[in-house]
Amino acid sequence: MSEASRLLPALLAPALKAARAALRRLEPDEIPASLRRVAAYTGGRLPPPLASSLLDELDGNEWLRAKALEELADDEALGRLYLERPAGWARELAVASAALAADGATEELASARRLVKDAEERLAEARRRLHEVRSSESSAAADGEARELRRKLKAAHRRAEAEAERREAEVQEAAGRAMAADEAAAALAAEVHRLRSRLRRTRRDRARLVAVAQTAAAGGALRPRRPVEVARDLDDAARLLRAAPSPAGAAEAPAAAGPLELPAGVRPDDAAAIDWLVAQAEPLLLLVDGYNVTFSLSERGFATPEARSRLNAELGRLARLATALRVVVVYDSDQDHDAAVAAGPGGVEVVFAPADLLADEELVSRAEAAQLPAVVVSTDREVREGAEDAGALALWGEALVSWMRRRT
């Protein structure tokens, strides 16, 4: 482990302090199971195992990071960088850690130089004494002391130089890792841009082909077209069929003209977002990350059959209240080996992802293929981002859980 890596907890001490303050404000059933020992700890600085557990949970739990931000002082720049995670945050944190390691190396080098200076002063004193007693019987002992001091001085020089070289190598290594992380982030951003461009082209080609097909199906006259245009449409249709097959399920109505947006003042993690959804008059498709939301709903801190039954029942109530809403809840296939699709209460469609897909992938796939305006509910940031890339409105699982608990 490099010195920069060992210093990372020290850099994140303000973030850890803010996270502990946030845990103290949470209700017992809101505290993640992995942090119960952390929340129960009342001492000063967290022991390394508990600090590591809190860092691991903060790294994967965006909701907890948001709670910690509310407790963080305004002048804690590094803690805010770690909790907010803007673009390039990992590189900036690595550079800060490397700088702290370099400061430590500089201080240790200064200490070594002070020791060298002290040794040189002692050597000068020994030489003076040697000059004074050279003619006496103790001159042999003085010579031995001088030789010993010279040996120690050379050894101190060697140790100081070796330590300085080691510290410099660690700083350069940390800077190299930061540069590599920056390059990887740039490459990933370029790949995301390429995929989004490809998605836009695919949607544009699909819309054009659907318009041609609908005109032909309605008996309308198609405008005269050149052979090259017809060939291009056939090529686009073949590519779309190979690249994006529609998932199994009932046919949906044509998509609305524009993407769904929450009204001003309504947050995606608040129960008011579900109230707004219920009030919509146009047909909508609601896709719920079943296991993810059930985990947040469970009183025991992990998904249980009781929590799943309650979620299905509450979604049935939601479907009855929102007459224009088609509700689909998706679970991982390993949660139930006996069924792939089942009817839930109140007309809710309970879907188990295929064995070769996670529920996360099935949710995004259904959002991409949906012809109704789609709303995806999940506490998983990657699922929400994938849903938004597919043109769906993404809500936090906390909004649905708050809406359900408001009745109890």
Side-chain angles (χ1 to χ4, degrees):
M1 178 185 296
S2 70
E3 185 68 13
S5 298
R6 289 193 296 270
L7 290 172
L8 187 58
L11 288 173
L12 300 182
L16 291 173
K17 181 178 179 182
R20 292 182 67 189
L23 287 174
R24 288 193 292 270
R25 292 181 180 276
L26 295 178
E27 296 296 332
D29 60 348
E30 293 178 318
I31 298 174
S34 61
L35 297 184
R36 289 175 179 169
R37 290 182 59 200
V38 175
Y41 185 79
T42 58
R45 184 175 181 180
L46 282 175
L50 297 184
S52 178
S53 297
L54 184 51
L55 283 174
D56 288 344
E57 186 65 27
L58 283 171
D59 191 58
N61 192 325
E62 184 180 4
W63 174 78
L64 183 58
R65 290 200 304 272
K67 293 295 185 182
L69 271 172
E70 297 174 1
E71 306 294 333
L72 189 68
D74 293 337
D75 59 348
E76 296 295 350
L78 290 178
R80 187 166 299 279
L81 177 68
Y82 175 75
L83 294 173
E84 289 183 345
R85 301 196 171 188
W89 71 273
R91 179 181 61 79
E92 292 185 29
L93 200 60
V95 170
S97 181
L100 187 58
D103 291 342
T106 302
E107 180 61 27
E108 291 186 17
L109 181 58
S111 177
R113 286 174 175 167
R114 287 193 294 271
L115 290 175
V116 170
K117 183 178 179 181
D118 181 68
E120 288 176 340
E121 291 174 353
R122 291 174 60 192
L123 177 59
E125 176 64 17
R127 285 174 174 169
R128 185 186 63 78
R129 289 175 55 195
L130 176 62
H131 179 74
E132 291 176 353
V133 300
R134 186 174 293 276
S135 59
S136 68
E137 295 180 355
S138 61
S139 61
D143 285 340
E145 183 178 356
R147 286 193 297 272
E148 179 64 17
L149 285 174
R150 280 194 293 270
R151 184 188 66 78
K152 291 181 178 179
L153 177 60
K154 291 180 180 178
H157 270 294
R158 288 193 297 269
R159 287 195 299 272
E161 290 175 355
E163 181 66 15
E165 291 176 357
R166 184 178 70 83
R167 298 292 185 180
E168 184 177 359
E170 288 186 353
V171 171
Q172 291 177 351
E173 180 185 356
R177 286 197 302 271
M179 184 177 298
D182 199 19
E183 292 174 352
L188 181 59
E191 178 65 12
V192 169
H193 178 74
R194 185 185 68 80
L195 291 175
R196 284 180 174 171
S197 298
R198 181 179 175 183
L199 178 62
R200 286 193 294 270
R201 289 196 305 272
T202 300
R203 286 176 174 167
R204 185 176 61 250
D205 293 342
R206 178 186 294 171
R208 180 166 50 81
L209 292 173
V210 167
V212 172
Q214 288 177 342
T215 301
L222 298 175
R223 64 179 176 82
R225 312 182 72 208
R226 293 179 298 168
V228 67
E229 293 178 326
V230 175
R232 184 191 62 188
D233 286 347
L234 291 175
D235 289 343
D236 289 344
R239 177 172 54 80
L240 291 172
L241 289 173
R242 287 195 306 270
S246 298
E252 291 136 355
L260 285 175
E261 291 185 359
L262 287 174
V266 177
R267 301 196 315 270
D269 62 343
D270 190 80
I274 305 300
D275 292 333
W276 171 83
L277 189 62
V278 169
Q280 298 306 298
E282 296 298 324
L284 300 175
L285 172 64
L286 177 64
L287 295 165
V288 180
D289 189 342
Y291 178 75
N292 187 287
V293 176
T294 302
F295 187 93
S296 301
L297 184 64
S298 173
E299 301 293 338
R300 297 191 229 168
F302 55 89
T304 62
E306 295 82 5
R308 183 191 298 178
S309 297
R310 181 183 174 190
L311 174 61
N312 291 346
E314 290 290 343
L315 289 176
R317 180 171 71 93
L318 176 62
R320 291 191 297 272
L321 291 174
T323 56
L325 194 64
R326 175 185 169 193
V327 182
V328 178
V329 57
V330 180
Y331 296 101
D332 288 315
S333 62
D334 60 353
Q335 300 298 311
D336 191 330
H337 295 286
D338 298 331
V341 179
V348 174
E349 298 176 43
V350 180
V351 175
F352 294 90
D356 59 343
L357 288 180
L358 296 175
D360 298 356
E361 298 169 314
E362 178 70 11
L363 280 164
V364 175
S365 175
R366 285 177 173 264
E368 289 177 342
Q371 295 180 1
L372 284 174
V375 180
V376 175
V377 176
S378 177
T379 60
D380 190 316
R381 177 175 55 84
E382 292 184 0
V383 174
R384 294 197 304 272
E385 290 177 352
E388 289 173 346
D389 289 342
L393 172 65
L395 301 181
W396 290 38
E398 285 79 359
L400 180 57
V401 172
S402 299
W403 184 85
M404 294 166 58
R405 287 178 172 165
R406 193 172 58 187
R407 193 177 65 143
T408 59

